[in-house]
Amino acid sequence: MRSRDLFLMAARNLFRRKSRTLLTILSVVIGATSIITMVSLGLGIQRQQDKWLTQLDSLTTLQVSPSAYYEEGMSGPKPTKGLITKKTIQELKKLPHVASVLPIRDVPVQIDLGEDKVELWASVQAVDFSELSEKDRAMSDGEIPAKDAKLGFVLGSFTYPTKVKQGNFEDLMDYDWNRKKIKFIIGYRDDTQAIMSGNSVKTYKELPAKYYGRLQSPHSLSGMGVYISMEMADQIDKERAELERKQSQAAGETALKTNRKKEVYYSRVLVMADKMENVDELKTTITDTYSLSVYNESEFIKSQQSATQSIQLLLGGIGAIAMIVAAIGITNTMLMSIYERTKEIGVLKVIGARIKDIRRLFLMEAGLIGVIGGTLGVLVSYGASSVINSLTASQMSAGFASEGLSYIPVGLVIIGIAFSGAVGLLAGYMPARRATRLSAIEALRTN
């Protein structure tokens, strides 16, 4: 028999028993809708994650930290590796595939805003502002201080002073930085220690500090921080050394005089690779050559991608359960159809229909149920996807909501329909095989 004749016969047989066929198709629609919608959620999450990752400069940034610790005056030998010094910085700049190097120093200094119960809880870090990219240098308020500028600071984009009142904490978003005299505090305010020791030398020193502005949205630097220039950090170091010298003299100690300039040790350094594909090689080079600790966001990203894949598999598995139920429904429908059409099968065999034609007829009926149900399931999935995106739009950021949480690409539509048809064929295989094994004579005797 020709394929066209088999197709018309299969369609006629299906719609001869409309109620049963429609209920079976409905089960496939539910299964196809479930699996497509669930997979679309996984794809939507993956798409949003990929979009977010493409906007991250941190993908090519290596955060390099010391693996050893040393300070001038410490007992014991100085480590030969694992420290970040000026020499290390210069050598890192000469490595292949390095686009830029940004050294960072933690500066042990406190900020006094000159206002009772208002504090700025953020670490002070020294950076070379000239090494920042144009995007990192962008300011929402004020300007980057020059190298010879007076002592002062720049705030991260999310750094605000906090008002403490009766155990409550309130971020002062509209704080007027020009209304108070701001100071850097070197050392610790501990006048009790000075009184008990019998000397009048202060344990701290106050230095006037200027507010220069706020970074707009730095990518290399944290938004929760206070930043000063390297020159300002050197000035603070000199003031601290002088304070320590006076304290030593007041305590009757003899300070060691040396003409050797104190070595500067950096807290960390950000090394920017020229291309994403060179990050792993650069990381290995820095780790092996300098024995430094190196971290890159790609490690976090890999774990996120792995978690996203797990979510996709879970969502797909949930949808697949409904499709399995639909497959059982197709098998049941086809078996019932064979029992009811036993005499018809006998007639087909007597008039010369081949075994493979009978098998193809029943497989085509099962496949049609799967394809029709899959097609309707795609249409319902588009509607469900629109509802999901509408409901979640108000709860997401602008970038997330603009594209939606659920995403149904054309490939998923094709796969969904093809998968539904394949499920129908597989579900119809056993009934079709049963039909071909019926004896023609026994089938004709059936009432």
Side-chain angles (χ1 to χ4, degrees), residues 148-399:
D148 58 349
K150 293 182 180 179
L151 197 61
F153 58 92
V154 171
L155 293 177
S157 52
F158 304 114
T159 306
Y160 297 96
T162 301
K163 185 174 183 179
V164 183
K165 187 177 181 181
Q166 296 179 349
N168 296 321
F169 304 92
E170 177 188 359
D171 288 338
L172 304 178
M173 313 290 284
D174 56 349
Y175 189 76
D176 185 1
W177 291 97
N178 299 314
R179 68 179 179 177
K180 296 291 182 180
K181 291 184 178 180
I182 305 172
K183 299 173 185 177
F184 281 154
I185 308 298
I186 302 173
Y188 299 93
R189 284 176 167 166
D190 190 1
D191 293 331
T192 304
Q193 181 180 348
I195 295 172
M196 292 179 64
S197 60
N199 63 65
S200 58
V201 177
K202 286 187 175 181
T203 58
Y204 65 93
K205 187 172 185 178
E206 298 177 345
L207 301 175
K210 178 182 177 181
Y211 166 73
Y212 281 97
R214 183 184 298 277
L215 294 169
Q216 185 172 9
S217 181
H219 291 74
S220 299
L221 301 176
S222 169
M224 299 294 292
V226 179
Y227 302 100
I228 64 175
S229 67
M230 289 295 182
E231 292 77 16
M232 294 176 186
D234 292 338
Q235 181 181 346
I236 291 174
D237 284 343
K238 291 179 181 179
E239 295 289 350
R240 180 180 292 102
E242 179 64 18
L243 177 64
E244 292 174 352
R245 186 185 66 81
K246 290 181 178 180
Q247 289 175 343
S248 297
Q249 288 180 344
E253 300 175 357
T254 303
L256 296 175
K257 294 183 179 181
T258 176
N259 294 324
R260 184 171 64 86
K261 190 174 181 180
K262 191 175 181 180
E263 182 93 60
V264 175
Y265 300 102
Y266 294 92
S267 307
R268 68 183 187 280
V269 58
L270 303 180
V271 180
M272 275 63 79
D274 54 359
K275 295 179 181 179
M276 180 63 190
E277 51 265 30
N278 296 325
V279 168
D280 289 339
E281 179 184 346
L282 188 56
K283 178 181 177 181
T284 303
T285 301
I286 295 174
T287 303
D288 295 344
T289 306
Y290 301 98
S291 298
L292 297 171
S293 300
V294 184
Y295 174 78
N296 178 249
E297 290 291 345
S298 61
E299 298 174 10
F300 168 75
I301 290 166
K302 288 177 182 177
S303 65
Q304 290 295 306
Q305 290 175 336
S306 177
T308 302
Q309 291 174 356
S310 299
I311 292 173
Q312 289 177 333
L313 290 174
L314 176 62
L315 294 175
I318 294 172
I321 293 173
M323 186 58 80
I324 292 172
V325 175
I328 295 173
I330 294 174
T331 302
N332 180 65
T333 297
M334 298 309 299
L335 285 174
M336 291 297 297
S337 178
I338 289 171
Y339 285 127
E340 293 174 356
R341 293 159 58 191
T342 302
K343 195 167 187 176
E344 178 185 333
I345 295 170
V347 171
L348 287 173
K349 286 187 174 184
V350 168
I351 63 176
R354 294 174 297 179
I355 296 296
K356 69 176 185 178
D357 289 333
I358 297 174
R359 183 187 300 113
R360 287 171 60 195
L361 175 63
F362 283 93
L363 286 176
M364 196 168 288
E365 290 181 18
L368 273 174
I369 292 175
V371 171
I372 294 172
T375 303
L376 294 176
V378 167
L379 297 177
V380 176
S381 297
Y382 271 115
S385 178
S386 298
V387 172
I388 291 172
N389 291 337
S390 299
L391 292 175
T392 57
S394 60
Q395 302 176 12
M396 296 181 178
S397 61

